[in-house]
Amino acid sequence: MPVTDPSLPVLDLTQSPAELTVQLCDIESVSGNERALADAIESSLAAYPHLHVVRDGDAVVARTSLGRARRVVIAGHIDTVPINANLPVRRDGGDLVGRGTVDMKAGVAVALVLAAALESPAVDVTWIFYDHEEVASELNGLGRLARTRPELLEGDFAILGEPTSATVEGGCNGTARVDIRLRGVRAHSARSWVGHNAIHDAADVLAILRDYEPAELEVDGLVYREGLNAVGITGGVAGNVIPDEAVVTINYRFAPSRSGDDAIAHLREVFAGFELEVTDLAEGARPGLDAPLAQEFLAAVGAQAFPKYGWTDVARFSALGIPAVNYGPGDPLRAHADDERVAVDEIIAVERGLRAWLSGA
Amino acid sequence: MPVTDPSLPVLDLTQSPAELTVQLCDIESVSGNERALADAIESSLAAYPHLHVVRDGDAVVARTSLGRARRVVIAGHIDTVPINANLPVRRDGGDLVGRGTVDMKAGVAVALVLAAALESPAVDVTWIFYDHEEVASELNGLGRLARTRPELLEGDFAILGEPTSATVEGGCNGTARVDIRLRGVRAHSARSWVGHNAIHDAADVLAILRDYEPAELEVDGLVYREGLNAVGITGGVAGNVIPDEAVVTINYRFAPSRSGDDAIAHLREVFAGFELEVTDLAEGARPGLDAPLAQEFLAAVGAQAFPKYGWTDVARFSALGIPAVNYGPGDPLRAHADDERVAVDEIIAVERGLRAWLSGA
C-alpha cells in the first residue's frame, strides 16, 4: 500500500469491495460536497503506476495505456442524494444499509478495487468517477467532461455501474415534455354563456391520453415500452370565473429507436389541432448490445440483458457514438430510499463478472 | 336643514340625488372603512323626526312607523371596492365618473333623498344602509342584521338599489361549488404502467361538463338560465411522476326554483360514480314578482322585469320569506370597473319611479 497524504481519508483499494463500499459511504458526498471523496479517490489511484490520473473539478479519470486494440470506459458517480439519518452504514445480515449503498457507491467500490488490481487488463480501460449526477443535468460531471474533454471519454464500449441488481440494462428511453395550452374567453360564472371554458376543452386532450396505447418497440434485441402521460394540469382564475386558459403538461417516454425530432413529430400528430410547446427533450440511447464487445461482455459476466426505461447517463455515451450499458450491484427501486440497502452478494457478483471479463476477455 | 355635528361631513338630503351621489362618492368608504360615511348618514337621517334611526356597527337603519298595513324595505350598501385613482368624481357629459358611482352610491343617494323627503309614504318604509357588501360574505352588514336583529328586516317586500340600468331584476340564481377528486397510483413516469394516472381519469368529468346542456327554468314568470362549469383544475406532482390525484372544481349556478339540496342531488346524479365534495352552497331567491306589492311596484315604476343571474343580497331577504328585487341606477357591467360611471338620467328615473310608487301606491 503506497503512502498517501496523511490529512486525507486513506482508501485501501486492496480490501474487499464490500468493505470499501462502507468506507466510501461513510465519507458523506451529497451532490456539491464531493471534494473530500474526490481527493481520496484521486490520491489513492495516483499511487498505482499503471494508471494515468486526471482531475477535473471533482471528477477523477484514471486510464491504462497498454496499447490494446480496444478501450472500455467504466464510469460511476460519487455523489448521493441528501442523507436522512442513514449514515454511518450499518450491516443487517447480508446487506449494507445506508445512504449511497445502492446509488451507487457499491458500484464505485467495485470499479476502484478493479482499477487498482488489474495492472494488465485484456482491453485498455478508462475509469471515470464523477460528480453532480443527482442534481440538475447542466451540473453533471460526465456531461462536463463530454463538453470540455471529450477525448477522455473515447472508447469502444461503456459500462455505467448504476444499480441493476447485477443484471445488464441496455440503453434507455428518451424523454420529451410538452405543454398543451387551451384558450377560452373569460367571463363571470353567473353568465357563463358569455365566455368559453378552456378547462372543458381539455376533455379532448385527456381523452386522447387515456385512450392512447403506448408502443413496445424492439431495438437491438431489447423491447422498449413507451409511455405517454399527463404529469400536470392547471387551469382556473377564481371560484366564480369561467377560465380562459388551461395547460396540460405531458411527458412522453419514447424508445431509443426514435430521434427527438421523430418523438415531437409523433406528439404533433397525436395532438393535431392543439397548441403544443416543447419544454424538454432528451433522446434515449440504443442498447448497442449487438456490438461485438457488448456480446463478449454479456457472455463473460453471464448476466441477462433488459431494457432500461428511465433516462440515464448512458445516453451521454450514446450521443458520442459509444454503446453503453448499466451494470451494477443493488436494486434500483432502493435508490434514494431512506432504507437504501445493497446485498453484499451482488457486490461480489458484479466484481467477479467484471474481473473475469476484463482479465480474460 | 337641521344643524348637525360640525366635525362630521354634512349631507344635504334636500339636494338632487345626482349631487348627493357626488358627495357620497367623495367620502371614500372602501369596505372596512365605512365609519365616516355611516356617521354622516346616521346624523343626517336623525335630523328627520318622521324617521326612527338605529345604528348597528356601520349599518344605519331608519324606519317610518305610520301604522300602514304593509312595510317595504329599501336597502343599499355603502361600501365600495378599492379606489384606483378614480376619485374625486368627475362629470363627463351626462355621466358621473368615479368609484362608487354605479356600485352603488347613486342608489344610496336616491334612497337618502326619498327617506328624508317622504314624511308620509303610502306604506311604512325601512331604509337600510349597510357595510361590508364587497368582501367576504360573513362580514356582510345585511347578513349581520339578519342574524342579530332580524326584526329590523321585517317587511312585505324588499328592494335593493343595486345597479340594474333602472330595470327591475328579480330574484337570483343559487350557487354551489363542489370538488370532484380523482385518485390514482403514483409511479415514476419512466414506468408509467406501474401506476394509475389520476389526471387521465378527469377526462370523463370534463367531457360531462363539456356536453352538459344547462337548463332554462321559468320561476314566477322569469326565465333563469343555469350554468355548470369547471372553474379550476389541479393535478401533478413533478415532471417525471404519474400523478395520484387530480381535482376538478365545479361551480353550479342553479335556478331559484331548486333548493340547495335539490342542486346537490342534481350534481350527484350528473357526476354519479365520482367522489364529490360540496365546498360552498348558497340558495338563490325566487323573484317573487307574483306578490301583490311587487305587481304594484312594477306597474308604478313602469320598469321591465328581468331575471338576475348572479347571487345578490336579495337572497338574504328571500331566506327570511320576503320577496325582493334589485332596482337601481347604473349599468351593472360597469360595477368595479376603473371607469365606473353612471348616467344622471338613470338616477333621475329611479328616483321618480320610487317616489311615485311610495307616495301614491
Side-chain angles (χ1 to χ4, degrees):
Chain A
M1 184 62 195
V3 177
T4 56
D5 177 347
S7 73
L8 288 175
V10 177
L11 300 178
D12 175 2
L13 304 187
T14 64
Q15 64 190 322
S16 80
E19 295 295 336
L20 183 57
T21 298
V22 174
Q23 194 180 1
L24 293 176
C25 289
D26 288 345
I27 303 172
E28 179 264 293
S29 59
V30 173
S31 309
N33 195 29
E34 297 96 333
R35 174 144 312 163
L37 182 54
D39 287 349
I41 289 172
E42 179 187 10
S43 67
S44 59
L45 289 173
Y48 291 90
H50 66 281
L51 295 173
H52 177 66
V53 177
V54 174
R55 175 73 175 254
D56 182 282
D58 286 332
V60 179
V61 182
R63 309 171 81 230
T64 66
S65 298
L66 301 166
R68 303 289 194 243
R70 298 180 297 185
R71 175 174 292 278
V72 169
V73 181
I74 299 180
H77 65 85
I78 63 171
D79 60 319
T80 71
V81 296
I83 59 173
N84 188 9
N86 47 11
L87 282 184
V89 170
R90 62 184 178 84
R91 290 165 186 276
D92 180 19
D95 290 353
L96 306 179
V97 184
R99 175 63 72 232
T101 50
V102 168
D103 192 8
M104 54 168 282
K105 289 183 175 175
V108 168
V110 167
L112 284 170
V113 164
L114 293 177
L118 301 178
E119 291 182 17
S120 184
V123 290
D124 269 314
V125 185
T126 302
W127 306 94
I128 301 180
F129 306 92
Y130 64 99
D131 54 293
H132 286 99
E133 194 272 345
E134 298 288 7
V135 285
S137 178
E138 64 268 25
L139 298 176
N140 185 291
L142 193 63
R144 184 181 69 245
L145 290 172
R147 281 193 306 276
T148 61
R149 310 195 64 174
E151 72 284 2
L152 290 176
L153 270 58
E154 279 171 12
D156 302 290
F157 185 55
I159 298 169
L160 272 166
E162 291 274 5
T164 61
S165 301
T167 66
V168 172
E169 292 189 344
C172 66
N173 271 334
T175 179
R177 212 163 281 119
V178 299
D179 283 346
I180 292 191
R181 194 171 305 268
L182 296 315
R183 297 183 191 272
V185 176
R186 201 180 281 203
H188 195 289
S189 68
R191 295 173 177 270
S192 52
W193 50 91
V194 176
H196 179 85
N197 195 315
I199 293 177
H200 293 190
D201 285 353
D204 292 330
V205 176
L206 298 188
I208 289 170
L209 287 165
R210 183 196 54 200
D211 299 337
Y212 183 86
E213 299 201 1
E216 300 195 357
L217 297 177
E218 186 173 324
V219 185
D220 301 348
L222 296 182
V223 174
Y224 285 81
R225 192 166 174 179
E226 298 195 327
L228 182 67
N229 273 278
V231 291
I233 188 165
T234 59
V237 177
N240 60 355
V241 176
I242 303 303
D244 55 350
E245 185 174 279
V247 178
V248 185
T249 301
I250 293 168
N251 185 210
Y252 178 35
R253 301 283 176 152
F254 55 95
S257 52
R258 297 194 202 254
S259 70
D261 286 348
D262 288 346
I264 299 303
H266 179 63
L267 291 179
R268 290 202 189 278
E269 195 181 306
V270 168
F271 296 105
F274 289 98
E275 182 182 334
L276 184 152
E277 184 192 1
V278 180
T279 59
D280 189 34
L281 179 62
E283 293 187 338
R286 299 183 72 97
L289 293 177
D290 46 357
L293 258 176
Q295 292 287 333
E296 290 168 23
F297 165 72
L298 280 176
V301 303
Q304 238 191 309
F306 297 96
K308 184 83 178 174
Y309 292 115
W311 197 92
T312 74
D313 275 344
V314 300
R316 298 185 193 276
F317 287 106
S318 187
L320 296 170
I322 306 170
V325 298
N326 292 285
Y327 175 57
D331 178 352
L333 296 179
R334 294 279 189 175
H336 302 194
D338 287 341
D339 66 338
E340 195 176 337
R341 63 170 63 214
V342 66
V344 170
D345 284 351
E346 286 189 11
I347 303 177
I348 294 170
V350 170
E351 194 258 352
R352 281 194 186 143
L354 277 179
R355 184 187 291 267
W357 178 54
L358 292 173
S359 305
Chain B
M1 183 63 194
V3 177
T4 55
D5 177 347
S7 72
L8 287 175
V10 177
L11 299 179
D12 174 1
L13 303 188
T14 64
Q15 63 189 321
S16 79
E19 295 296 334
L20 182 57
T21 299
V22 174
Q23 195 181 0
L24 293 176
C25 289
D26 289 346
I27 302 172
E28 179 264 293
S29 59
V30 174
S31 309
N33 195 29
E34 298 95 334
R35 176 145 311 165
L37 182 55
D39 287 349
I41 289 171
E42 180 188 9
S43 67
S44 59
L45 290 172
Y48 290 90
H50 66 280
L51 296 173
H52 177 66
V53 177
V54 175
R55 174 75 175 253
D56 183 282
D58 284 331
V60 179
V61 182
R63 309 170 81 231
T64 65
S65 298
L66 302 164
R68 304 288 194 241
R70 299 179 297 185
R71 176 174 289 278
V72 169
V73 182
I74 299 180
H77 65 86
I78 63 171
D79 59 321
T80 70
V81 296
I83 61 173
N84 187 9
N86 47 12
L87 281 184
V89 169
R90 63 184 176 83
R91 289 167 186 275
D92 180 20
D95 290 354
L96 306 178
V97 184
R99 175 63 73 232
T101 50
V102 169
D103 192 6
M104 56 167 280
K105 289 183 175 175
V108 168
V110 167
L112 284 170
V113 164
L114 293 177
L118 300 178
E119 291 181 19
S120 183
V123 289
D124 270 313
V125 185
T126 302
W127 305 94
I128 301 181
F129 305 93
Y130 64 99
D131 54 294
H132 285 99
E133 194 270 347
E134 297 288 7
V135 287
S137 179
E138 65 266 25
L139 299 175
N140 186 292
L142 192 63
R144 183 181 70 246
L145 290 172
R147 281 192 308 275
T148 62
R149 310 195 66 172
E151 73 283 2
L152 290 177
L153 271 57
E154 277 169 14
D156 301 290
F157 184 56
I159 298 168
L160 272 166
E162 291 272 6
T164 61
S165 300
T167 66
V168 172
E169 293 189 341
C172 66
N173 271 333
T175 178
R177 213 163 280 119
V178 299
D179 283 345
I180 292 192
R181 194 170 305 267
L182 296 314
R183 296 183 191 271
V185 176
R186 202 180 281 205
H188 195 289
S189 67
R191 295 172 176 272
S192 53
W193 51 92
V194 175
H196 179 85
N197 196 315
I199 293 178
H200 294 190
D201 285 353
D204 292 330
V205 176
L206 298 189
I208 289 169
L209 288 165
R210 183 197 53 200
D211 300 337
Y212 183 86
E213 299 200 2
E216 299 194 358
L217 296 178
E218 187 174 323
V219 186
D220 300 347
L222 296 182
V223 175
Y224 285 81
R225 192 166 174 179
E226 297 194 327
L228 183 66
N229 273 279
V231 291
I233 187 165
T234 58
V237 177
N240 59 356
V241 176
I242 303 303
D244 56 350
E245 187 174 278
V247 178
V248 185
T249 301
I250 292 168
N251 185 209
Y252 178 35
R253 300 285 177 149
F254 56 95
S257 52
R258 298 192 201 256
S259 70
D261 286 348
D262 288 347
I264 299 304
H266 178 63
L267 292 179
R268 291 201 189 280
E269 196 182 304
V270 169
F271 296 104
F274 290 98
E275 183 182 334
L276 184 153
E277 184 192 0
V278 180
T279 60
D280 189 34
L281 179 62
E283 293 187 339
R286 299 184 72 99
L289 294 177
D290 46 357
L293 258 177
Q295 292 286 334
E296 290 168 24
F297 165 71
L298 279 176
V301 304
Q304 235 191 312
F306 297 96
K308 183 84 178 173
Y309 293 117
W311 198 91
T312 74
D313 275 344
V314 300
R316 298 184 194 276
F317 288 105
S318 187
L320 295 170
I322 306 170
V325 298
N326 292 286
Y327 175 58
D331 177 352
L333 296 178
R334 294 280 187 174
H336 301 194
D338 287 341
D339 66 339
E340 196 175 338
R341 64 170 61 212
V342 67
V344 170
D345 283 350
E346 286 188 11
I347 303 177
I348 293 169
V350 170
E351 194 259 352
R352 281 194 186 143
L354 277 178
R355 184 187 290 266
W357 177 54
L358 293 172
S359 306

